[in-house]
């Protein structure tokens, strides 16, 4: 008899051969711009904690107070025994931040996307999805049973062509897009997408995972920054990035939220957010609204680093393994490895070697490889709590690499 699990070894060997193997690596200490890895201080350019709130004493105090008052677990789903006044308070705070009638919190952003998409569309419906959308949007779309068509990244013209060609053959239509694309850092053309949605009677779900707290005058996100507040929209996001906690949310009309409470399986059949995570997110929203200077600092860092990278990359040596900075409008900045290195495996090996080299110099960056992205890249995320010395250190190290040293 053959071992029914024998294929696992073969599958892993294939992953290793392609240099696509992924493994975890512990970081120690409070979340912040400098953490400890392998006993060494590492300047952290790999975190989604854009505003530096995950280690903030006020969030920690709020979480501890909630834990003392309500315990460690919420003990049930929201519809059964899991609903606390804290959840209501957080949902109100999210709706206020977003300028919507209502909001609903999920146990993660991933679950928010899965539950919302499957509640809104089914087999008779059409989903149009940006080709670079986050995996949770892609998987929610698949799970819904709707027909899914990708449109070219940030290309409203291609979206329009697909709507013209296909819309009438389906009952409902849902357009899916990240507001900030997580592996590129660019922004979706939301005003153009909303105009098309009006013309073709389509719903729009915008994923604000990387926009919430970061973009817009009040930190409401990309929707605010792009002047689309108040438009009919399904806005989702996460509590786990700039808000420094854990969980996801959807904000929209009161009827949309009521429907989700009745239809979103990943909300109905899962345990409510813990009291500690809920209270921490509430505190984070208050800070987002009260301390716009964190966003200003983040934007200043973003400009400094983008300009610095462009200078470093302006005149690369022929040996430089790094080539191109991707266009970005967020604190996510990416540099692709040389495109001449066609073989995806070699490409991935190269980006991993760069990551190790930078780590040996005390710098933590993300190396992103296929299948997450088409061409391997170094991904830098900035925090409001970085210092200009941190940025100088990074630019110095990247300068050496680009000079072929
Ligand atoms: C991180 C992320 C999610 C998932 O959010 P979690 O709360 O971490 O599950 C969804 N969409 C995008 C674009 C993300 O970057």
């Amino acid at each position: 008899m053959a071992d029914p699990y024998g294929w696992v070894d073969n599958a892993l060997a294939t992953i290793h051969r392609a240099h696509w193997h992924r493994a975890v690596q512990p970081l120690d200490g409070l979340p912040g711009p400098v953490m400890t890895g392998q006993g060494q201080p590492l300047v952290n350019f790999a975190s989604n904690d854009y505003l530096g709130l995950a280690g903030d004493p006020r969030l920690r105090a709020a979480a501890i107070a909630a834990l003392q008052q309500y315990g460690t677990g919420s003990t049930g789903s929201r519809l059964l025994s899991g609903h606390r006044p804290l959840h209501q308070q957080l949902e109100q705070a999210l709706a206020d931040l977003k300028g919507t009638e209502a909001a609903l919190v999920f146990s993660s952003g991933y679950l928010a996307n899965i539950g919302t998409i499957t509640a809104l569309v089914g087999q008779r419906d059409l989903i149009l999805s940006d080709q670079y959308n986050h995996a949770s949007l892609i998987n929610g779309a698949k799970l819904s049973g709707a027909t899914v068509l990708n449109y070219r990244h940030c290309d409203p013209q291609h979206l329009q062509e697909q709507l013209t060609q296909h819309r009438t053959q389906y009952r409902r239509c849902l357009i899916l897009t990240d507001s900030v694309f997580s592996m590129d850092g660019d922004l979706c053309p939301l005003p153009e997408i909303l105009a098309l949605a009006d013309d073709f009677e389509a719903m729009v779900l915008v994923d604000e995972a990387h926009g919430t707290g970061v973009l817009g005058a009040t930190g409401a996100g990309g929707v605010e920054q792009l002047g689309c507040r108040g438009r009919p929209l399904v806005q989702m996001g996460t509590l786990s990035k700039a808000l420094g906690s854990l969980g996801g949310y959807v904000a929209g009309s009161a009827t949309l939220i009521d429907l989700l409470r009745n239809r979103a399986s990943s909300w109905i059949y899962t345990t409510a957010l813990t009291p500690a995570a809920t209270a921490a997110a509430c505190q984070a929203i208050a800070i987002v609204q009260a301390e716009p200077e964190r966003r200003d600092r983040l934007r200043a860092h973003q400009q400094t680093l983008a300009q610095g990278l462009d200078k470093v990359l302006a005149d690369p040596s022929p040996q430089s393994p790094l080539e191109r900075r991707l266009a970005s409008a967020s604190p996510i900045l990416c540099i692709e490895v040389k495109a001449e290195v066609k073989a995806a495996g070699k490409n991935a090996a190269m980006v991993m070697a760069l990551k190790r080299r930078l780590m040996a110099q005390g710098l933590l960056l993300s190396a992103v490889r296929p299948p997450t992205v088409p061409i391997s890249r170094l991904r830098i995320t900035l925090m409001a709590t970085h210092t200009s010395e941190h940025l100088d250190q990074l630019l110095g190290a990247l300068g050496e690499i680009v000079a072929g040293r």
Side-chain angles (χ1 to χ4, degrees):
M1 286 281 277
D3 174 5
Y5 301 97
W7 67 271
V8 172
D9 287 336
N10 299 338
L12 275 171
T14 305
I15 292 168
H16 276 290
R17 263 199 307 281
H19 297 279
W20 286 5
H21 187 256
R22 298 154 186 244
V24 293
Q25 177 189 56
L27 285 178
D28 216 337
L30 272 181
V34 182
M35 296 188 67
T36 305
Q38 296 166 341
Q40 306 286 334
L42 289 172
V43 184
N44 185 1
F45 291 106
S47 167
N48 296 319
D49 182 20
Y50 298 109
L51 301 178
L53 295 182
D56 189 284
R58 292 165 290 178
L59 267 74
R60 287 188 278 146
I64 291 166
L67 190 148
Q68 294 292 7
Q69 186 173 358
Y70 294 108
T72 49
S74 55
T75 77
S77 69
R78 290 281 296 282
L79 290 172
L80 297 178
S81 63
H83 186 53
R84 302 282 172 276
L86 275 175
H87 295 117
Q88 211 154 354
Q89 208 180 312
L90 175 57
E91 286 168 347
Q92 188 58 54
L94 282 162
D96 289 347
L97 178 70
K98 298 281 170 178
T100 59
E101 286 174 359
L104 188 67
V105 293
F106 288 72
S107 299
S108 76
Y110 200 112
L111 289 169
N113 271 334
I114 299 275
T116 305
I117 297 168
T118 53
L120 295 180
V121 288
Q123 281 177 1
R124 294 158 63 195
D125 305 321
L126 175 66
I127 287 177
L128 293 169
S129 178
D130 187 290
Q131 69 176 128
Y132 288 177
N133 274 342
H134 189 261
S136 55
L137 290 168
I138 296 169
N139 289 333
K142 269 189 209 157
L143 199 60
S144 73
T147 299
V148 184
L149 299 173
N150 284 349
Y151 59 89
R152 283 192 294 273
H153 178 55
C154 289
D155 187 344
Q157 194 149 359
H158 192 214
L159 174 60
Q160 179 169 21
E161 284 165 27
Q162 289 186 326
L163 283 163
T164 307
Q165 201 177 341
H166 303 286
R167 172 67 186 97
T168 55
Q169 292 135 55
Y170 296 90
R171 181 185 58 172
R172 296 197 279 263
C173 178
L174 175 64
I175 301 168
L176 301 178
T177 184
D178 285 10
S179 70
V180 178
F181 286 86
S182 52
M183 293 301 144
D184 294 72
D186 53 345
L187 288 187
C188 73
L190 193 59
E192 289 84 349
I193 291 173
L194 284 173
L196 288 170
D198 277 349
D199 291 348
F200 288 89
E201 198 188 326
M203 303 176 281
V204 179
L205 187 160
V206 59
D207 181 334
E208 290 265 46
H210 296 276
T212 303
V214 173
L215 299 181
T218 68
V223 172
E224 180 183 29
Q225 179 147 319
L226 295 164
C228 300
R229 258 171 103 91
R231 299 288 297 271
L233 256 177
V234 183
Q235 302 183 51
M236 73 70 61
T238 177
L239 310 176
S240 67
K241 289 173 179 151
L243 301 182
S245 182
L246 181 67
Y249 69 82
V250 174
S253 70
T255 50
L256 170 81
I257 297 306
D258 200 24
L259 182 80
L260 292 179
R261 273 192 294 260
N262 286 275
R263 281 255 185 98
S265 188
S266 67
W267 183 83
I268 298 170
Y269 299 105
T270 198
T271 302
L273 219 56
T274 65
T278 310
C282 266
Q283 180 63 61
I285 292 171
I287 295 173
V288 160
Q289 290 170 320
E291 299 179 2
E293 60 272 19
R294 286 178 184 264
R295 273 188 297 287
D296 296 341
R297 224 176 127 73
L298 191 56
R299 257 191 291 273
H301 282 341
Q302 186 185 318
Q303 270 168 15
T304 305
L305 189 66
Q307 281 165 9
L309 289 175
D310 288 344
K311 211 154 128 194
V312 161
L313 289 164
D315 186 23
S317 102
Q319 286 85 44
S320 172
L322 293 174
E323 192 162 64
R324 190 167 76 96
R325 179 171 82 78
L326 302 181
S328 163
S330 72
I332 302 169
L333 293 157
C334 295
I335 315 167
E336 272 182 355
V337 301
K338 217 167 218 170
E340 286 132 54
V341 189
K342 282 270 158 51
K346 213 166 151 192
N347 209 271
M350 188 187 266
V351 83
M352 291 310 287
L354 288 174
K355 180 189 159 122
R356 283 192 296 273
R357 171 178 169 165
L358 290 163
M359 188 172 282
Q361 297 172 49
L363 297 162
L364 179 68
L365 278 74
S366 305
V368 191
R369 292 169 285 173
T372 309
V373 292
I375 298 174
S376 295
R377 65 194 59 168
L378 285 176
R379 177 178 183 266
I380 301 160
T381 50
L382 290 166
M383 299 174 64
T385 44
H386 278 130
T387 63
S388 32
E389 288 73 32
H390 293 147
L391 303 196
D392 290 344
Q393 196 185 335
L394 176 62
L395 286 168
L398 291 172
E400 290 288 303
I401 291 169
V402 173
R405 286 195 284 268

